[in-house]
């Protein structure tokens, strides 16, 4: 694993831990393509409407980039 990946993992883990301590139910999606996009929702699983809005936003963003046939959701 390279240095940048180590930093990314540490940052994501820290943000998820903070969100969980605050009672949030976070979501993070990284769309790898040109350009790469990162979308976050600290309230993703709070209710069905909030989850649906995030998923719709994610789908709209996905249409705007050239995806390298891979994407990761956390």
């Amino acid at each position: 694993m390279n240095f940048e990946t180590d930093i990314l993992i540490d940052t994501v883990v820290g943000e998820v831990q903070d969100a969980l301590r605050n009672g949030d139910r976070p979501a993070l999606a990284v769309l790898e393509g040109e350009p790469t996009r990162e979308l976050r929702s600290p309230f993703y699983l709070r209710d069905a409407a909030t989850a649906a809005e995030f998923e719709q936003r994610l789908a709209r963003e996905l249409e705007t980039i050239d995806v390298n046939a891979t994407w990761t959701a956390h």
Side-chain angles (χ1 to χ4, degrees):
M1 195 171 349
N2 63 32
F3 180 72
E4 290 83 10
T5 302
D6 286 340
I7 298 281
L8 177 62
I9 289 172
D10 288 345
T11 300
V12 170
V13 168
E15 288 180 7
V16 169
Q17 289 173 332
D18 290 344
L20 293 173
R21 274 192 288 275
N22 292 332
D24 294 331
R25 297 177 180 169
L28 170 67
V30 177
L31 304 178
E32 295 180 16
E34 190 57 44
T36 296
R37 296 276 199 321
E38 182 179 309
L39 291 90
R40 301 165 189 239
S41 174
F43 312 111
Y44 175 66
L45 294 176
R46 189 157 288 169
D47 57 58
T50 303
E53 185 278 327
F54 179 74
E55 291 166 3
Q56 290 166 0
R57 192 176 80 182
L58 183 63
R60 286 190 305 272
E61 287 292 324
L62 189 57
E63 292 174 357
T64 68
I65 64 174
D66 180 21
V67 178
N68 296 330
T70 61
W71 67 278
T72 305
H74 302 276

